[in-house]
Amino acid sequence: YRVIDLGVMVPAQDILDRAEAEGADVVGLSGLITPSLDQMVHVAGEMTRRGFETPLLIGGATTSSKHTAVKIAPAYPGLTVHVQDASRAVGVMGRVLSDSARPAFAAETAALQARAREQYAARERGRVRLAPDEARRRALRIEWRAEDVPQPSFIGPRTVEPALDELVPFIDWTPFFHAWELKGTYPKILRDPRWGERAAELHADGQRLLERIVREGRVRARGAYGFFPASGEGDDIVLYNDAARAAETMRFAMPRQRHDAATALSLADFVAPLSSGLRDHVGGFAVTTGHGLEALLAEFEADHDDYQSIMAKALADRLAEAFAEYLHRRARADWGYGAGEKLSLEDLLAERYRGIRPAFGYPACPDHAPKAQLFALLGATERAGMTLSESCAILPPSSVAGLYFAHPQARYFSVGDTLMGDAD
C-alpha cells in the first residue's frame, strides 16, 4: 500500500482536500490524545457534508470500537472501521479494498456497531443520574483547617527550563513499552517469558537514543508553573488577581459527578471557600519536551528510518511526563507542604505524596476547552512556546498541562463514564 502520512494535528479540511486530490482509497485517522476523539467525529461529519464514500479507518491509543460505534460511525454513512492495533491493519485493508469481501465486511461491521449502540443506549437508560442541584447537595464536605491550607512561597507564573539530564531520573518506562504494544510493567517486563527479549532490546535501543538526545540537546524542555489565589464556589474554582482577593480574574467550571452515590465530587470541592476564612490557592503547570523534536524526526524520515522516528516520539513523550513529575515535586516544595519529602521514584510513580495534578481532558475534568484559560493564566505561549490547536490539543506534541491541588483529601476520580480507551 502507498501511505501518505500528513502528520499530527492536521485540520479536517487539509485531510479531506488531500484525500480528494490523491484519489485515496481509504482515509485513516489516528488518535493518540483525547482531543482526537472529538476531532474524529468532526472529520466524519465533514466527510458526510462533502459527499465522501471512502472507507474511514479509526485507530490509536485513545480510540475504541465502542467510541467508534457510538460517536464516529453515526456521523458518516460510509464504512467506518475501528482497527484495534497496527498488527490487524493489513487484514482490515484487505477486506475493505476487496470488491468481493467488502460488502459482507461492511454489513458485519454495521451490525456490530448497531449492537454496540443499542447496548450503550440501554445502559444509559438504566443509569440513575442526579439532577444538578441534588448533586451539589451531595458535594464533599471538608472540615477546613488552617494547617491543611498551605501558603505557597510565591504568587503568579514562573518559567522553568530544566536540563534534560535532570528529567531522565523521573522517567516512567512502563508506558514506553505500551507504545510498542508490549504488555507489562518495568522492570518486570524485561524478564517476561513472552515479551522479555523484545522488551530488553527496545529498552537498550531507547537508552541509546535517549543518551544521544540528551548529549546533543536535540529536544528542549520548557515550561511554566505558578500559584494563584483561589476559592471554591459551588462547582467553580474562582481565581483572583492578588492575595487580597478583591477582584476575580477567571473561573474554572468543574463538572460534578452525577451518579447515585452518597458523595458527588467536583475538583472545586478541594479548594477552600471564602466562607471558611482561609486563603487558599490552586497551582497550574504547562510543560513540553517537544521543541526540537520535529527536526530530529525529519532527519530519521529522510533516512527512511521509521524505527528511530517512532522511538524518538516515544522518548519525547516519556520526557514530557518526567518533566511533569519533576515539576510537581518542585511545586510541592514551593507550596511548603512537600518541602520535607524523601520519596523514591517508585513512590513518585505510585503517587505516594499529598496533592494531585489533574489534566484537562481526563476523567475528573474531561472538557479540554479550559486549557485556553490555563494557558492565558500561565503565559504558556510566551514562557514555553506552547499553543493550542483548534481542538485544544497542545502544540508541540509531547506536552502536558493541568492544575495542582494541595488539600490532603484531594484525589483523582471520574465524573462519569467515558467512551475513550475502552477494552474491545
Side-chain angles (χ1 to χ4, degrees):
Y1 302 102
R2 175 172 173 251
V3 179
I4 300 171
D5 181 3
L6 300 184
V8 299
M9 316 287 185
V10 183
Q13 180 178 336
D14 293 353
I15 296 171
L16 301 186
D17 286 350
R18 186 67 180 274
E20 285 184 329
E22 297 284 349
D25 296 302
V26 172
V27 172
L29 304 177
S30 177
L32 298 179
I33 55 177
T34 53
S36 304
L37 297 175
D38 290 338
Q39 188 68 3
M40 288 176 172
V41 177
H42 172 63
V43 174
E46 284 298 289
M47 292 177 72
T48 299
R49 187 182 67 81
R50 294 173 57 162
F52 271 73
E53 297 180 355
T54 310
L56 175 61
L57 301 189
I58 302 296
T62 60
T63 64
S64 69
S65 62
K66 186 189 298 183
H67 181 269
T68 302
V70 175
K71 297 293 185 180
I72 302 175
Y76 180 53
L79 174 59
T80 304
V81 185
H82 178 255
V83 185
Q84 187 170 351
D85 60 58
S87 66
R88 303 185 185 185
V90 173
V92 171
M93 285 290 287
R95 300 179 74 182
V96 165
L97 298 182
S98 167
D99 290 339
S100 59
R102 179 173 168 180
F105 180 59
E108 175 189 345
T109 300
L112 289 172
Q113 291 175 345
R115 190 179 313 147
R117 287 192 290 271
E118 290 169 3
Q119 292 171 345
Y120 178 77
R123 285 195 297 270
E124 286 296 297
R125 287 192 298 269
R127 182 175 291 117
V128 176
R129 288 182 59 80
L130 302 175
D133 287 346
E134 177 59 27
R136 293 187 191 102
R137 281 193 289 271
R138 300 189 190 189
L140 179 67
R141 305 301 177 189
I142 290 177
E143 180 183 347
W144 295 102
R145 306 182 305 172
E147 57 266 36
D148 293 332
V149 183
Q151 301 303 301
S153 59
F154 67 92
I155 299 297
R158 288 186 175 179
T159 303
V160 58
E161 298 187 42
L164 292 179
D165 57 7
E166 294 183 74
L167 305 182
V168 171
F170 292 86
I171 289 178
D172 179 3
W173 284 99
T174 294
F176 170 81
F177 297 102
H178 295 173
W180 298 91
E181 298 178 0
L182 298 183
K183 308 303 181 183
T185 58
Y186 177 81
K188 292 181 180 178
I189 193 172
L190 302 180
R191 302 184 297 274
D192 186 276
R194 180 179 181 186
W195 306 114
E197 183 177 352
R198 178 61 178 142
E201 179 184 344
L202 279 170
H203 189 239
D205 290 346
Q207 291 279 15
R208 279 191 290 272
L209 181 55
L210 178 62
E211 181 182 351
R212 177 191 166 193
I213 288 171
V214 172
R215 183 180 67 252
E216 299 177 2
R218 297 307 305 266
V219 301
R220 183 180 174 192
R222 296 178 63 188
Y225 79 117
F227 306 100
F228 307 91
S231 67
E233 185 179 299
D235 297 348
D236 292 346
I237 297 173
V238 184
L239 274 62
Y240 303 94
N241 63 338
D242 57 30
R245 292 164 169 75
E248 177 183 324
T249 57
M250 69 173 61
R251 288 178 177 239
F252 287 110
M254 293 299 178
R256 184 173 296 282
Q257 292 175 322
R258 291 179 59 190
H259 53 262
D260 190 10
T263 302
L265 293 173
S266 166
L267 288 172
D269 294 344
F270 303 135
V271 186
L274 289 179
S275 60
S276 69
L278 300 173
R279 294 176 177 268
D280 210 346
H281 299 76
V282 296
F285 72 98
V287 299
T288 184
T289 53
H291 294 301
L293 179 62
E294 187 174 344
L296 180 60
L297 298 180
E299 292 180 17
F300 290 135
E301 288 162 9
D303 292 336
H304 304 287
D305 193 340
D306 292 339
Y307 178 65
Q308 291 295 331
S309 178
I310 296 171
M311 182 72 72
K313 293 174 188 176
L315 291 173
D317 288 346
R318 290 299 87 223
L319 283 168
E321 293 291 347
F323 193 175
E325 197 70 71
Y326 160 93
L327 190 57
H328 194 187
R329 188 181 71 166
R330 178 166 162 178
R332 294 193 299 273
D334 289 336
W335 217 331
Y337 70 89
E341 280 185 358
K342 295 181 180 179
L343 300 176
S344 66
L345 176 61
E346 181 183 0
D347 291 330
L348 293 175
L349 299 182
E351 299 170 358
R352 298 187 183 111
Y353 47 73
R354 172 177 158 181
I356 58 174
R357 59 168 191 273
F360 290 109
Y362 284 84
C365 44
D367 186 6
H368 289 268
K371 286 180 188 172
Q373 293 174 269
L374 177 62
F375 272 43
L377 188 68
L378 294 169
T381 299
E382 299 77 13
R383 294 176 181 276
M386 300 169 67
T387 59
L388 296 173
S389 73
E390 61 183 16
S391 60
C392 290
I394 303 175
L395 302 170
S398 301
S399 300
V400 186
L403 297 176
Y404 294 136
F405 294 83
H407 194 274
Q409 289 183 243
R411 63 185 185 273
Y412 296 105
F413 60 90
S414 173
V415 294
D417 291 341
T418 176
L419 291 172
M420 73 176 188
D422 289 311
D424 295 306

